[in-house]
Amino acid sequence: MKVLILKSFIDHDIISEALAAQKADDATLAAILAKAEKSEPLSQTEVAQLLLVEDAGHIAEMNRIAGEIKDRIYGRRVVMFAPLYVSDYCVNNCSYCGYSHKNQFNRRRLSMDEIKREVEILESMGHKRLALEAGEDPVNCDIDYITDAMEAIYSVQKGNGSIRRINVNIAATTVENYKKLESKGIGTYILFQETYDDTAYLEHHQGGPKRNYLYHLTAFDRAMEAGIEDVGGGVLFGLADYRSEVLALLQHNAHLEEVYGVGFHTVSVPRLKKALGMDLAQYPHIVTDEQFKRIVTVLRLALPYVGIILSTRETPEIRDELLRCGISQLSAGSVTGVGGYEERENGEDISQFSVDDERSPIEIIKSLVDSGYIPSYCTACYRSGRTGDRFMQLAKSGKIGYVCEPNALMTLLEYIQDYGDDELKAKGYKFIDEHAKTIDNPKVREMTLSRIERLKNGERDLYV
Ligand code: SAM
């Protein structure tokens, strides 16, 4: 076992130098984009140059290439999931968060029965993959509560519904606690750095254990040490200069690759939203839609194999646009409050922050299908042991598409059969059949077509 040292691996001097470098001329930019197209690693200066491009034609070209990279590696599939908030107790004072300790409201954590009811609602929406979310509170929401919650979630089976992968987004913790999450079948351990700028970090994390920048920054080292192979990073865009944040996020990924042989499994790009007890006007680094689009494009160019996750914090229009710049995972039908799914059914709403895409999953599914994307409820890689380095090797070999597309089509078919309305059935079956016939590898195509038949005849949970 490695001795884990609380030491920063983020080099802010390199970031400043990269951003101060000359803007790329046309030939240099073309060379950087050619490297990105071949999925070759980009240096910090090259990424900075992509972030600094101003010409509209060049920007359109970058967006196009980013979208093509995602399609080439993962096909047209878009992975679907929903968050599940189980506890809003929190001992931290994060300036931007509705759960902040300074905010006075009736806090709650769900009982195991309440969790099961939320999961039944999520399953009846067709979800198979959840992100478990909780505030940090060692007394009211300790690790055993979280692992009990995971067991409760995995135990619920409503109709043909079941949760097949739980990603967990809880505060930075110890190797022992990460081992407990691993033993209960965690999918990805997700933790947003919020900001890599240590000064801004202290400004926005005014109290509680999360104020410790280094402890937060080194959380994935402990998670990987504990045996968790898939970790998901992210920045809360709006707390500091977005260009520096992108470069720092890439340094974090490089650190994990260097030390553990595998970097981020996913990256999330939450953008700061209005929440209880905070005023967006107090945040000078709010990113515009154009800047946000650049963030996603550059991340896709620099991290071709990493899942990039977009939440319902964004409007349907922006989500549609960003899908064309390399987004590969979307949340759908989300509520961001504890017990929120049942409350929404009862017409109430308490949330951690506001959401801007309020469409139901089925509306999102229809819109994706109309745009030629395959909504995917696939969880096969994790269940087949294709995690960490094994997943990345498959992605880098160019063969991941041979499992992603069939699994996406098969899980979409399950969704349509179990939760689809007449409109979705009418367009969905045709869409799936047409797509399956275009799979270029004959063996994969035949196997997919035969499994599609089996699913139509009532079998479930087939995957490769
Ligand atoms: N307690 C865990 C932690 O400290 O990492 C989980 C945090 S919370 C349930 C998930 C994420 O919501 C946070 O990491 C933060 O990035 C995001 N978030 C909090 N307030 C937000 C806001 N006002 N707008 C957008 N995202 C926000």
Side-chain angles (χ1 to χ4, degrees):
M1 174 150 158
K2 289 186 193 71
V3 179
L4 296 173
I5 303 167
L6 288 187
K7 184 168 166 293
S8 179
F9 38 77
I10 303 297
D11 190 328
H12 293 284
D13 291 342
I14 291 182
I15 294 173
S16 305
E17 277 164 33
L19 287 170
Q22 288 230 311
K23 287 200 182 126
D25 57 24
D26 285 4
T28 311
L29 183 62
I32 299 172
L33 290 177
K35 276 177 84 175
E37 271 187 300
K38 287 184 267 173
S39 303
E40 288 175 7
L42 303 180
S43 70
Q44 289 263 296
T45 304
E46 288 167 330
V47 173
Q49 287 177 319
L50 293 176
L51 289 164
L52 293 167
V53 169
E54 283 170 3
D55 175 79
H58 288 150
I59 295 171
E61 176 72 351
M62 284 165 55
N63 295 342
R64 183 188 63 75
I65 294 173
E68 276 177 15
I69 290 173
K70 184 268 165 190
D71 283 357
R72 174 167 46 79
I73 297 171
Y74 291 108
R76 298 286 287 172
R77 68 101 168 105
V78 180
V79 171
M80 311 296 295
F81 75 98
L84 172 59
Y85 285 77
V86 292
S87 171
D88 54 25
Y89 284 99
C90 196
V91 294
N92 293 312
N93 266 326
C94 307
S95 74
Y96 48 82
C97 184
Y99 289 177
S100 175
H101 186 66
K102 68 180 183 303
N103 287 336
Q104 304 279 317
F105 63 95
N106 282 334
R107 294 182 188 256
R108 66 187 281 206
R109 76 170 199 188
L110 299 180
S111 68
M112 293 305 138
D113 283 343
E114 287 170 326
I115 289 176
K116 288 179 189 168
R117 279 211 294 281
E118 291 283 279
V119 174
E120 285 186 3
I121 296 171
L122 286 157
E123 287 181 1
S124 66
M125 290 155 70
H127 282 296
K128 302 279 188 280
R129 175 190 293 243
L130 297 185
L132 177 63
E133 310 272 346
E136 179 169 11
D137 186 326
V139 174
N140 291 298
C141 180
D142 64 3
I143 196 71
D144 296 329
Y145 169 77
I146 295 292
T147 52
D148 288 350
M150 291 171 73
E151 259 182 38
I153 294 168
Y154 278 134
S155 75
V156 178
Q157 169 112 29
K158 188 174 167 64
N160 283 328
S162 60
I163 298 304
R164 301 169 180 168
R165 178 178 177 120
I166 308 173
N167 298 333
V168 179
N169 181 191
I170 59 163
T173 185
T174 59
V175 174
E176 285 65 38
N177 286 348
Y178 287 127
K179 282 185 181 158
K180 289 188 180 179
L181 294 176
E182 169 61 11
S183 74
K184 293 293 171 187
I186 186 174
T188 306
Y189 171 60
I190 296 174
L191 184 71
F192 306 153
Q193 180 56 35
E194 319 298 11
T195 174
Y196 285 95
D197 178 325
D198 38 9
T199 308
Y201 190 93
L202 287 180
E203 187 188 325
H204 292 293
H205 301 97
Q206 292 141 2
K210 188 164 174 178
R211 187 170 161 78
N212 187 334
Y213 174 87
L214 280 181
Y215 190 71
H216 195 78
L217 183 69
T218 50
F220 292 145
D221 295 82
R222 294 189 295 283
M224 286 189 158
E225 202 54 52
I228 295 179
E229 292 193 296
D230 290 344
V231 298
V235 165
L236 180 55
F237 285 101
L239 299 182
D241 170 64
Y242 72 93
R243 291 172 174 142
S244 307
E245 301 280 36
V246 168
L247 290 167
L249 184 77
L250 295 174
Q251 287 191 8
H252 194 169
N253 185 67
H255 161 78
L256 296 175
E257 276 185 353
E258 189 187 319
V259 180
Y260 303 98
V262 61
F264 293 132
H265 185 68
T266 56
V267 163
S268 299
V269 288
R271 219 176 6 164
L272 198 59
K273 301 285 302 179
K274 174 81 195 99
L276 180 67
M278 63 85 100
D279 177 2
L280 281 177
Q282 304 298 316
Y283 293 81
H285 295 287
I286 296 288
V287 297
T288 65
D289 289 352
E290 278 314 303
Q291 291 166 340
F292 191 52
K293 199 163 158 184
R294 180 73 62 88
I295 290 167
V296 171
T297 290
V298 171
L299 285 174
R300 177 51 73 209
L301 296 173
L303 298 172
Y305 303 105
V306 170
I308 306 184
I309 302 179
L310 195 62
S311 76
T312 52
R313 289 174 181 86
E314 301 299 331
T315 62
E317 295 71 33
I318 290 172
R319 287 179 19 126
D320 285 352
E321 257 192 78
L322 293 179
L323 274 174
R324 293 193 287 276
C325 302
I327 287 293
S328 56
Q329 294 198 22
L330 286 180
S331 52
S334 313
V335 290
T336 60
V338 174
Y341 292 100
E342 194 169 21
E343 278 168 8
R344 183 168 63 186
E345 292 209 325
N346 299 333
E348 296 163 37
D349 183 24
I350 299 172
S351 52
Q352 186 202 13
F353 53 81
S354 58
V355 301
D356 270 349
D357 186 350
E358 298 195 349
R359 293 174 298 172
S360 64
I362 193 163
E363 287 174 288
I364 296 177
I365 300 286
K366 286 177 191 169
S367 137
L368 287 169
V369 167
D370 287 340
S371 309
Y373 291 103
I374 316 170
S376 175
Y377 286 93
C378 174
T379 52
C381 279
Y382 154 73
R383 292 157 81 213
S384 308
R386 295 190 292 263
T387 54
D389 189 36
R390 287 178 303 288
F391 173 89
M392 278 301 161
Q393 288 310 325
L394 192 66
K396 289 180 182 171
S397 73
K399 293 196 180 116
I400 193 90
Y402 290 145
V403 295
C404 280
E405 284 228 343
N407 287 332
L409 291 170
M410 288 190 266
T411 54
L412 175 60
L413 182 66
E414 279 189 79
Y415 177 90
I416 293 173
Q417 289 189 297
D418 292 340
Y419 311 102
D421 58 14
D422 290 346
E423 185 196 346
L424 183 60
K425 284 184 175 146
K427 62 174 94 181
Y429 287 129
K430 189 162 161 271
F431 175 84
I432 290 170
D433 288 341
E434 281 172 7
H435 248 288
K437 284 181 193 143
T438 64
I439 294 176
D440 58 3
N441 180 309
K443 240 170 103 181
V444 177
R445 185 174 58 243
E446 285 318 309
M447 181 272 303
T448 307
L449 287 168
S450 95
R451 289 185 185 203
I452 283 176
E453 277 318 301
R454 285 168 55 193
L455 287 165
K456 283 184 183 166
N457 290 330
E459 281 187 63
R460 285 292 174 270
D461 202 14
L462 302 178
Y463 56 89
V464 283

